[in-house]
Amino acid sequence: MFSETKNSGAIVLTAIFFAFFCSHAPAFANTNKQNSDVDANLQKFEQRLWSGTHLSAKEFDSICSQLNSALATEINRPQRATFSEKSLNYLEKLKTFRTIKLFYQTDLFQQRLKKHRDFLAQTYQLAADWFDLIKRGPELQPVEYNNLTKKAQRSFTAAVDSAKKIDPLLVNFLVWQKPVTARQLQQNLNSRELILDYWLHNDSLAAFFVSADSVGVRSWQIEPGQFTDALQAFDSTLFDQKDVLDLKFDAESAYYLYRLLIRPLKAELFERSRLVIIPDSPFLNLPFECLISQPADSTKQTEVLYKEYRFMKFLIKKFSISYNLSLSALDPELQNMRDQTKLGRRLLTMSEPDFPVENDSLGNALPPLLWLDHSPYVNDEIRRVSRLLFRHDNVRGNEVTMDYLKQRAADYRWIYLAQLGLLNNKQPLQSGLMISASQNGSADEDYWLTVNDVFQIPFRADMVTLSATIFYPKVVKNARPGIVALPQAFLLAGNKSVLYSLWHVHSISTSEFMSKFYWELKYKRQHNTVALRGAKLASMRDTFDFLDQKISRAHPYFWAGFRLIGSPYVSSPSNAKIPPWGVVIIVYVALLIVGGIITRKTLAKK
């Protein structure tokens, strides 16, 4: 009897499985065919790109659209999201093509594509073979797959070494070609770190996550209209502030966005303390630091303006946060683009370029009130930063030129640029920094260090700081592409990391903030991303006087706009070999000795 029941149950299960397979077989077949077509189109596109064939903006948009569709079929399967190296690489290629499209018309691309097309075509073939291996990974035995992967890695590393000798900026191109593997990302992470790579498509939001001990992807549904409205409301209250005595913050949207972007990843975030966030384009300018994990209490009036913000559960209170446009920016090969031998620990600061009043090429873009706000505090800002490093060159006035940077930039490990700059949302490649005219000419563009100019400078610094950037024009359909162009140009030009501001903050606050950041970096010997968190938390506890009003810097306007991209592992500029606890012991012993000497002399006199 039992045997008959068991057999009948097996027959039923078989029938159910057969019916399920028959009903879903066409869908599986269509999915496989669609992804096969995307792979073929992707290969054609990349072959054209790396052979130097001209590509239009429309062609970039087309391949990005196809990659979005392929990701949707890979990730949004019934019941649960699925992780694969293939889907991770689709997302990486999507974000890489967006970056390339932005910089495609610059000399970085056009000159090198023409000059090194044979080399780039050859390295692309290495990358394509490696990507094919990743796609075939599930079909191969683990030992065979690992051996083939190691061989591909060795071949590509050799190509990168060759690129460094030919032209260091070619390393960018090879890293963009190179497939992404979770294992390589994991090698550089400790147990407290997590990478979050977001992807938004229609009504679906997904996040790939990579930690030292796990990889995966989570996908969940959203209401696109509500999400867009929240982003827009949150964006406008932070970016478009005009009155320091009447600053706004949309706490309701901050909590909503936290629930949408962070809470679904609660399990993955458990016991993490450092995040590398790679946002998707619709929320590229979102400062995750000031999302709040609990509803805000009703605002209470206090004698110190904005003091109530000290008690909000901002995300920065739990995590150190850095950003990047894609996973490739974390590649160790990119962090060693240029040889750093004999590079000391010298700091370069630049400020107060000469700009003639009769020249209005920047005067129209930079309001006079902004100039007045910036100028009185620049000297104090430079002084605060310089005293935290032992060796520094403070360049100002007519020395702040393109020629100086071309000749000397390679000598500095730390570069601090305090001249005003524009992050241009309407024409991103026209973003730039004010400089003095070179001796060779006096045209309008000589007063402007543009994105294209940055690629002509042989940088090899650990970190570049842009302390005074603003947006112009302010809004372009709720997108701010200016956030990408100028800071990313400094990264692609050979610097390991870039610190910059998303919006203009009153210069007296910038001076205080940067002083705290460099103090954290040097005396606490923190990595740049941890030091940045320390400076933001310190700012929340700080106050200043303005127009007879005591103001707390706890409001996100004063600290949330400072963003770090590139390597989150840049170490302290201090030459000291003694750990922090050792410094404390030495200071304590020194105080005891001095106290003993003073006591002894006092007793001797008696």
Side-chain angles (χ1 to χ4, degrees), residues 549-570:
Q549 171 70 58
K550 188 171 287 294
I551 298 176
S552 169
R553 289 195 177 94
H555 192 287
Y557 165 78
F558 294 107
W559 51 265
F562 295 103
R563 172 166 288 193
L564 180 72
I565 61 173
S567 172
Y569 307 114
V570 171

Side-chain angles (χ1 to χ4, degrees), residues 36-64:
S36 178
D37 292 342
V38 170
D39 289 342
N41 292 337
L42 176 63
Q43 184 178 31
K44 291 177 183 178
F45 180 87
E46 289 189 296
Q47 284 176 336
R48 293 182 62 205
L49 172 64
W50 301 118
S51 65
T53 303
H54 178 74
L55 295 167
S56 66
K58 186 176 181 180
E59 288 175 298
F60 274 100
D61 293 339
S62 175
I63 195 64
C64 287

Side-chain angles (χ1 to χ4, degrees), residues 50 116-128 156 159 177:
W50 301 118
H116 305 292
R117 66 178 64 187
D118 292 340
F119 177 76
L120 291 173
Q122 182 180 0
T123 55
Y124 163 69
Q125 192 56 54
L126 289 175
F156 214 84
Q177 293 177 350

Side-chain angles (χ1 to χ4, degrees), residues 350-569:
M350 279 190 163
S351 62
E352 302 177 275
D354 286 342
F355 185 75
V357 176
E358 63 273 11
N359 189 305
D360 62 357
S361 63
L362 294 182
N364 292 334
L366 298 173
L369 287 178
L370 183 61
W371 292 47
L372 293 174
D373 163 61
H374 183 70
S375 300
Y377 305 101
V378 172
N379 289 335
D380 181 61
E381 184 178 334
I382 296 300
R383 177 181 58 81
R384 287 171 178 269
V385 172
S386 298
R387 72 184 181 186
L388 293 173
L389 293 170
F390 296 113
R391 304 173 64 203
H392 49 83
D393 294 329
N394 297 330
V395 175
R396 65 184 61 188
N398 59 13
E399 290 186 301
V400 182
T401 64
M402 173 78 168
D403 290 341
Y404 187 96
L405 288 171
K406 280 185 174 181
Q407 296 167 11
R408 299 287 306 279
D411 298 335
Y412 299 100
R413 188 177 292 274
W414 309 88
I415 297 177
Y416 191 95
L417 304 177
Q419 63 264 43
L420 282 168
L422 289 181
L423 304 181
N424 193 323
N425 289 315
K426 194 170 184 179
Q427 295 177 299
L429 296 183
Q430 295 304 311
S431 300
L433 300 176
M434 288 179 61
I435 57 173
S436 300
S438 63
Q439 297 179 353
N440 299 326
S442 57
D444 289 349
E445 54 267 24
D446 287 336
Y447 297 99
W448 200 234
L449 182 72
T450 65
V451 168
N452 210 43
D453 295 328
V454 172
F455 295 128
Q456 316 302 321
I457 300 170
F459 289 108
R460 54 176 185 155
D462 281 354
M463 189 167 69
V464 170
T465 299
L466 311 177
S467 72
T469 51
I470 65 166
F471 280 102
Y472 177 83
K474 289 184 178 179
V475 178
V476 178
K477 296 181 181 178
N478 198 41
R480 301 181 186 273
I483 286 176
V484 176
L486 185 64
Q488 194 70 21
F490 278 97
L491 203 62
L492 298 177
N495 300 293
K496 288 187 177 181
S497 63
V498 180
L499 175 63
Y500 66 104
S501 55
L502 295 176
W503 54 78
H504 176 70
V505 181
H506 194 284
S507 294
I508 189 172
S509 292
T510 300
S511 175
E512 293 281 351
F513 182 88
M514 290 300 174
S515 177
K516 289 180 173 63
F517 170 69
Y518 279 90
W519 190 92
E520 291 273 338
L521 196 66
K522 179 178 180 180
Y523 290 110
K524 288 192 176 181
R525 303 189 68 190
Q526 307 279 19
H527 285 153
N528 50 0
T529 182
V530 181
L532 185 60
R533 175 178 180 264
K536 292 181 177 183
L537 296 179
S539 290
M540 291 186 204
R541 299 188 293 268
D542 197 12
T543 61
F544 69 101
D545 294 321
F546 183 76
L547 298 179
D548 298 325
Q549 171 70 58
K550 188 171 287 294
I551 298 176
S552 169
R553 289 195 177 94
H555 192 287
Y557 165 78
F558 294 107
W559 51 265
F562 295 103
R563 172 166 288 193
L564 180 72
I565 61 173
S567 172
Y569 307 114

Side-chain angles (χ1 to χ4, degrees), residues 6 16 65 72 76 113 122 153 174 194 230 287 291 304 340 349 403 409 412 423 462 529 533 548 555 597:
K6 184 176 180 181
I16 293 173
S65 177
N76 297 330
L113 284 175
Q122 182 180 0
Q153 174 67 33
L174 270 62
L194 184 73
L291 301 185
V304 180
Q340 289 196 306
T349 68
D403 290 341
Y412 299 100
L423 304 181
D462 281 354
T529 182
R533 175 178 180 264
D548 298 325
H555 192 287
I597 293 173

